[in-house]
Amino acid sequence: MQNVKTLQERDALKPVLAVQVEADGSWDCYLPGDGLPSMPPPAPVAACSPWQLRRYLNQTGLRSAVDAYVAAAGQDTQDRKISM
């Protein structure tokens, strides 16, 4: 892992596996072969009804993008679609 202070230093490191911006504005750059820091555990998955999911997608402006993705996806994905 290398800590760099400028964009030029950061961009000169190729390939960078992960970059973490520090509070002081520097970057911790992880290169191939470096051990990566541990990740926090994922947030628990919350259950919601189809209506709640559609409402959330509408509120965040993602509904049309999700609908377009599903429409363009393969038959297996479309078969899993919750009827809306």
Side-chain angles (χ1 to χ4, degrees):
M1 189 265 306
Q2 240 179 309
N3 183 274
V4 297
K5 306 286 185 205
T6 68
L7 287 171
Q8 293 80 13
E9 288 177 302
R10 185 199 67 185
D11 293 343
L13 298 173
K14 300 289 182 203
V16 173
L17 296 178
V19 177
Q20 176 182 357
V21 179
E22 298 293 327
D24 65 357
S26 66
W27 294 269
D28 286 343
C29 301
Y30 297 89
L31 303 170
D34 290 344
L36 295 176
S38 60
M39 299 292 294
V45 176
C48 66
S49 69
W51 175 82
Q52 289 170 315
L53 176 60
R54 290 191 304 272
R55 184 171 178 228
Y56 172 78
L57 291 173
N58 289 336
Q59 289 173 342
T60 58
L62 296 172
R63 175 80 181 268
S64 60
V66 170
D67 287 344
Y69 175 83
V70 172
Q75 191 63 48
D76 287 341
T77 299
Q78 291 180 17
D79 288 346
R80 292 178 178 263
K81 182 176 127 177
I82 299 171
S83 60
M84 295 188 183

